[in-house]
Amino acid sequence: MKELISSANIKVKVSVKDWKEAIEVSGSLLLRSKKIRRKYIDDMIKAVIDMGPYMVLALGFALAHAKPSPDVLENGLSLITLETPVNFGSKNDPVKVILCMACTDNTSHISVLRAVAEKLMTDGMIDRIASCKSVQGVYSLINE
């Protein structure tokens, strides 16, 4: 199987003060790997402000994303786990795992979402990822 998320785009046990900073940190991994421009991070934060915590898809898990735009240079995924979970204002709070997704168009958006859902929505996977103490542990779980 093709690598879903590179180890350079994974951080574990990150300390953040709130959901905005959590999106900021997960997005910064994609910015650093030149998958997005800075504005895409702002768009993800604005999406939560405008539409509510729809990104919190499951207990403890948020899929940070915004609509495809010119600020997405290349499809990319990043993932962070949080030292202390944060609230988005969702019934699935608190969030401890944040997957950040950036797609160049709607077609790739759907295929990336499908691949992510197959991997992360299996029973207990969010808890297994959240309990990893190393980037390599998360990398192995996601890409195995």
Side-chain angles (χ1 to χ4, degrees), residues 58-79:
L59 193 60
F61 174 72
L63 176 64
H65 65 287
K67 64 181 190 268
S69 79
D71 296 309
V72 178
L73 306 172
E74 192 180 317
N75 292 340
L77 293 170
S78 64
L79 185 141

Side-chain angles (χ1 to χ4, degrees), residues 53-121:
Y54 74 97
M55 294 178 182
V56 184
L57 302 182
L59 193 60
F61 174 72
L63 176 64
H65 65 287
K67 64 181 190 268
S69 79
D71 296 309
V72 178
L73 306 172
E74 192 180 317
N75 292 340
L77 293 170
S78 64
L79 185 141
I80 65 169
T81 65
L82 300 177
E83 183 68 47
T84 304
V86 296
N87 290 325
F88 277 70
S90 164
K91 65 180 173 37
N92 289 319
D93 281 340
V95 171
K96 55 190 170 189
V97 175
I98 297 172
L99 179 72
C100 183
M101 178 178 78
C103 295
T104 56
D105 58 61
N106 286 323
T107 305
S108 57
H109 188 92
I110 299 302
S111 62
V112 170
L113 261 179
R114 185 176 298 118
V116 166
E118 285 173 9
K119 186 56 81 168
L120 296 185
M121 294 298 134

Side-chain angles (χ1 to χ4, degrees), residues 24-35:
E24 188 83 42
V25 172
S26 62
S28 71
L29 296 172
L30 294 179
L31 185 63
R32 191 180 67 207
S33 62
K34 299 189 181 358
K35 304 277 188 197

Side-chain angles (χ1 to χ4, degrees), residues 1 3 11 13 26 33 43 46 56-58 60-62 64-66 73 95 117 120 123 128-129 131-133 137:
M1 180 182 151
E3 181 181 73
K11 275 184 120 170
K13 303 298 178 196
S26 62
S33 62
D43 290 347
K46 186 177 181 330
V56 184
L57 302 182
F61 174 72
H65 65 287
L73 306 172
V95 171
L120 296 185
D123 226 20
R128 288 170 59 204
I129 290 170
S131 66
C132 284
K133 293 177 179 14

